[in-house]
Amino acid sequence: MFSDSLISELDRGLRAIAGVTQASRPTPVAAPSINSEASVGDDALTPEERRHVAGLMRVNHVGEVCAQALYQAQKLATKRPELRTAFEHAGKEEEDHLAWTAHRLSELGSRPSLLNPLWYAGAFAIGFVAGKCGDKVSLGFMSETERQVEHHLDSHLDDLPPHDLRSRAIVDQMRLDEIEHGQAARDAGGIELPAPVQRVMRAAAKVMTTTAYYI
């Protein structure tokens, strides 16, 4: 029943917001370079770098909270079992990202965004609307979301301190997973969203990431 599925997904969402999700894969670890001192721990980060990295990881954590909401809503909206399975698979990998970023924030002595309930609710509503617009639109929305997240993670890899291998390994694996999710959505029939919709999505993401860096 739809109501049972809704309750199940909302319970999962509450656990995501509360930060009690568990990863099914180990946290990515980068192999230290023989000719680099980057293998040293977080003590190598200056206080300013630590605050900056925490801000970036908080943004990534918010992105994963939103990803949980989007995939849960899209899974509820579709009537095709194979798409529900695809959204479930992507959501499981995003749960790994959620757990990894939460753990990294804890290591840095920081916290997730205080606005996570708001981000989750907004993303869930958007995902459900996208899902009800049809499977091709829903998959197109998934594809465009993952494309924008990929570019966002690229910018984080450019911005993270070179010697912060722990954060860089996490972000790099997240990026690889997002590329795979986006390609899967296109292969399943996702359409290219109109340019104005893409711009609105980028603007909304900019507001979210800017706010989440601090709050």
Side-chain angles (χ1 to χ4, degrees):
M1 293 179 61
F2 177 81
S3 59
D4 292 337
S5 298
L6 179 61
I7 291 172
S8 174
E9 294 303 329
L10 288 178
D11 175 70
R12 188 172 172 181
L14 288 173
R15 286 186 282 110
I17 293 170
V20 295
T21 55
Q22 292 186 339
S24 60
R25 293 176 290 172
T27 303
V29 177
S33 171
I34 296 176
N35 299 318
S36 172
E37 296 180 359
S39 59
V40 297
D42 288 339
D43 290 343
L45 296 174
T46 67
E48 182 179 353
E49 287 176 331
R50 184 182 288 266
R51 285 192 297 270
H52 180 54
V53 172
L56 295 179
M57 297 307 288
R58 182 161 41 252
V59 168
N60 290 330
H61 185 268
V62 164
E64 298 309 325
V65 169
C66 291
Q68 288 297 300
L70 288 171
Y71 287 140
Q72 288 162 11
Q74 289 175 285
K75 186 169 63 175
L76 287 170
T78 186
K79 295 181 179 179
R80 291 170 56 188
E82 66 272 23
L83 286 189
R84 285 198 292 269
T85 299
F87 288 132
E88 175 69 18
H89 171 73
K92 284 290 186 182
E93 293 196 335
E94 303 288 356
E95 270 193 74
D96 289 344
H97 302 174
L98 189 65
W100 295 343
T101 52
H103 181 67
R104 186 66 183 129
L105 280 168
S106 178
E107 288 180 334
L108 293 164
S110 192
R111 53 157 180 78
S113 171
L114 299 175
L115 301 178
N116 274 345
L118 175 64
W119 305 131
Y120 179 89
F124 190 93
I126 292 170
F128 194 75
V129 169
K132 286 303 183 182
C133 287
D135 290 330
K136 290 184 180 296
V137 172
S138 184
L139 288 165
F141 183 81
M142 177 181 178
S143 171
E144 180 59 28
T145 297
E146 298 294 17
R147 181 185 293 117
Q148 293 189 16
V149 171
E150 176 192 345
H151 295 161
H152 161 80
L153 294 175
D154 280 337
S155 71
H156 277 203
L157 287 172
D158 290 336
D159 206 20
L160 283 167
H163 49 282
D164 184 6
L165 289 186
R166 294 176 70 81
S167 297
R168 296 181 70 84
I170 291 171
V171 172
D172 189 53
Q173 184 58 55
M174 289 168 60
R175 176 181 173 277
L176 294 175
D177 289 344
E178 308 300 2
I179 292 173
E180 181 182 314
H181 298 165
Q183 186 60 54
R186 290 186 288 276
D187 291 344
I191 63 173
E192 185 81 11
L193 297 183
V197 175
Q198 295 181 26
R199 287 195 292 270
V200 170
M201 291 173 66
R202 284 194 293 270
K206 180 66 174 178
V207 171
M208 182 196 74
T209 56
T210 302
T211 304
Y213 182 88
Y214 297 102
I215 302 175

